[in-house]
Amino acid sequence: MNQKTKDRIRTFIADRNWSQFHTPGNLAKSISIEAGELLGCFQWSDTEYDLPHVKEELADVLIYCQDLLDKLELDADEIVGQKMDRNEEKYPVEKARGSAAKYTEL
C-alpha cells in the first residue's frame, strides 16, 4: 500500500477519534468479520460475483489490516517478507509445483 493511502486511512481514523476503539483485538475481529463478508460474495458461485461488492469488502479488510499494522507498530513488507521466507522453505518449488498438498504431505 502506498504512503498516500496509508496516510489517508490514518487521517480518517484520527479525524473521527476512533483509535480509542481500535484495540488489536477489536481490529482482528473486524478483519475476520469483513473477510466473512468478502467470502459471502462467493457463497453460491466462484465465477459469478459482483465485482464492485468484492472490491468494497476487500478494501475493508485491507483498511483494518493497515490499522492493525499501525496499532502494533509493524511493517507490512517486513512481516510478509518473513512469512514468505518460511513459505519458501516449507514449499520448495521442486516439491510443491502443481500440488495443493500441505507442506507436511510433500
Side-chain angles (χ1 to χ4, degrees), residues 4-105:
K4 181 179 176 185
T5 302
K6 291 178 192 178
D7 290 342
R8 187 172 182 188
I9 293 167
R10 291 168 181 150
T11 299
F12 180 87
I13 294 164
D15 286 351
R16 288 154 183 81
N17 194 26
W18 285 353
S19 188
Q20 62 182 319
F21 308 115
H22 292 188
T23 65
N26 285 344
L27 291 169
K29 291 171 198 170
S30 296
I31 291 166
S32 182
I33 291 163
E34 294 299 340
E37 292 178 11
L38 175 60
L39 185 58
C41 295
F42 301 96
Q43 184 172 6
W44 303 114
S45 175
D46 287 340
T47 57
E48 295 179 28
Y49 49 84
D50 178 358
L51 186 57
H53 189 204
V54 169
K55 288 165 55 174
E56 278 197 29
E57 298 304 340
L58 184 55
D60 286 339
V61 171
L62 292 169
I63 290 164
Y64 279 123
C65 285
Q66 181 57 54
D67 195 15
L68 184 56
L69 286 163
D70 285 345
K71 189 64 72 171
L72 297 176
E73 298 180 359
L74 299 172
D75 178 86
D77 292 321
E78 181 181 330
I79 65 173
V80 169
Q82 291 168 349
K83 180 62 175 174
M84 289 305 300
D85 290 344
R86 288 192 300 277
N87 287 345
E88 289 164 357
E89 289 176 18
K90 292 190 320 189
Y91 295 96
V93 173
E94 60 276 3
K95 290 183 179 180
R97 184 173 177 82
S99 173
K102 189 173 178 177
Y103 71 95
T104 55
E105 298 172 7

